[in-house]
Amino acid sequence: MIAAAALATAGASGASALSLTVDAHANGFFGGSFHHNGATAMIEGVSLSAGDSVAITASGQIAIGENIFVGPNGEDVHSSSGKVFAFEYTPLEEAAVDAAPSLANLPLMPKLGALIGAFVAQPTVDASGFVATNVDVGGGINSTDLFFVGESLTYTAAFDGTLFFGINEAYVLNNSLAYAVALDLNGGLGNGTVVPLPAGMPLLASALGLGAFLRRRRNH
């Protein structure tokens, strides 16, 4: 069974879709930063039973600093002078950093600002006091629940649970705008199972010429 709080039915075929807005501050308090000021909980999407598929598409841009815009795929940002703080890392990097803290020192911030997801087991979501934030701050989502979504992805549930969406950035205080996310509840792109990023996720950079990026944004 596929359930959603706000379901819209369109067309004679009976195809159903859910539209969401994922704000640029919704990182669920994941990632390493010197503070999480401005951070908000991840956005609830749709509940799925084991075997259900949902096609996810995202559009729009968010600002991850003054006049710095990215789309749902994010950008691999590399600072030639290194990170301002050694413990800076993105939400998608958190599980790897927990396993190997030295990874937090790498200057690359992969897929910065990308749309990310988390699939949380339904008993956890239904438990009293559940909040769609990092377990490290008292929430109910583990870093190992996170995965990259980007512009399009089909997710097949391995167990009963709920999808949540957020932003792959730790420092969100000066972020703005939002992504528009559409969920095809018939899994229109076919069956595809999402596997959370492994602890040894590749860290290949596409240098953007933003050498002073990390220092500039702390000034705003």
Side-chain angles (χ1 to χ4, degrees), residues 190-216:
N191 293 327
T193 301
V194 171
V195 178
L197 293 177
M201 61 181 290
L203 297 177
L204 298 176
S206 58
L208 302 178
L210 299 177
F213 170 79
L214 295 172
R215 286 188 171 82
R216 283 206 309 270

Side-chain angles (χ1 to χ4, degrees), residues 119-133:
F119 191 63
V120 184
Q122 203 59 44
T124 299
V125 176
D126 292 340
S128 176
F130 172 81
V131 181
T133 58

Side-chain angles (χ1 to χ4, degrees), residues 23-161:
D23 183 80
H25 299 91
N27 68 359
F29 294 81
F30 285 98
S33 179
F34 63 96
H35 63 65
H36 279 115
N37 289 359
T40 62
M42 297 185 74
I43 306 300
E44 183 175 353
V46 64
S47 295
L48 305 173
S49 294
D52 287 341
S53 292
V54 58
I56 307 163
T57 56
S59 60
Q61 288 187 321
I62 62 170
I64 57 172
E66 186 174 342
N67 297 319
I68 301 171
F69 298 93
V70 299
N73 286 335
E75 297 285 358
D76 290 348
V77 174
H78 187 282
S79 173
S80 59
S81 55
K83 294 179 180 178
V84 178
F85 300 97
F87 51 82
E88 287 184 310
Y89 49 89
T90 68
L92 285 180
E93 294 178 287
E94 183 161 327
V97 170
D98 287 345
S102 63
L103 293 177
N105 297 322
L106 298 177
L108 174 67
M109 301 185 81
K111 296 180 172 62
L112 192 67
L115 179 69
I116 61 174
F119 191 63
V120 184
Q122 203 59 44
T124 299
V125 176
D126 292 340
S128 176
F130 172 81
V131 181
T133 58
N134 194 336
V135 293
D136 291 346
V137 297
I141 301 179
N142 289 290
S143 60
T144 52
D145 296 328
L146 302 178
F147 56 87
F148 173 74
V149 175
E151 292 181 349
S152 65
L153 183 71
T154 298
Y155 187 90
T156 300
F159 49 84
D160 296 354

